[in-house]
Amino acid sequence: MIKELIHDPIFLARKSEIATKDDLQVATDLLDTLMAHKERCVGMAANMIGVNKRIIAFLDESGKMPEYTVMINPEIIKKDGAYNTEEGCLSLLGSPRPCKRYKMVKVRYQTVDFQTRIKTYVGFTAQIIQHEIDHINGVLI
């Protein structure tokens, strides 16, 4: 179900809680909401739809075909290649803001089947993942 976007910086600055199997509907709602905004958005975190859980969804361009991916309880375990950039956000009104990102990130996460995976991402997909993990960690750009 497509959910309304949250713009309250106080709510968005709260660190998200661990997601469980009881939160799978949140993953579905998050993906539905991201798809509804795909014209101007490539990633979302659950707190952007009002749920304080560690779930993100994003456009993964790392494979042969771009696909939308959901990560549950993601955490960056390695990063390399720092650079400065600017990013915008659907939840934060105003113009893009400066931030530090890494060209490569290695992420440990769970799939929607709660299988643990570790995968390395580079480029724009890595940047999207970092932005969304910042969201669930309560970091606003």
Side-chain angles (χ1 to χ4, degrees), residues 24-113:
L24 284 177
Q25 184 60 49
V26 175
T28 300
D29 293 345
L30 186 61
L31 198 52
D32 290 348
T33 306
L34 174 57
M35 297 296 292
H37 293 275
K38 69 182 180 182
E39 306 282 323
R40 56 191 184 120
C41 184
V42 291
M44 285 190 171
N47 60 357
M48 293 174 67
I49 61 169
V51 181
N52 203 25
K53 293 291 183 166
R54 296 185 64 80
I55 303 171
I56 67 171
F58 60 95
L59 179 61
D60 182 353
E61 296 179 331
S62 66
K64 292 181 184 188
M65 296 282 294
E67 64 181 334
Y68 287 91
T69 300
V70 171
M71 289 182 173
I72 298 174
N73 301 316
E75 108 183 84
I76 295 171
I77 57 174
K78 185 177 181 182
K79 53 192 172 186
D80 191 41
Y83 65 98
N84 293 313
T85 189
E86 288 188 348
E87 295 175 355
C89 182
L90 279 182
S91 286
L92 301 174
L93 306 174
S95 31
R97 296 168 171 93
C99 59
K100 181 178 182 179
R101 294 291 179 226
Y102 295 86
K103 293 177 184 175
M104 180 281 300
V105 292
K106 183 181 279 190
V107 184
R108 179 175 35 238
Y109 65 97
Q110 293 170 304
T111 66
V112 292
D113 297 323

Side-chain angles (χ1 to χ4, degrees), residues 4 12 23 45-46 48 55 57 60 71 80 111 114 117 125 140:
E4 185 176 335
L12 294 170
D23 300 310
M48 293 174 67
I55 303 171
D60 182 353
M71 289 182 173
D80 191 41
T111 66
F114 280 82
R117 299 278 187 264
T125 301
L140 304 179

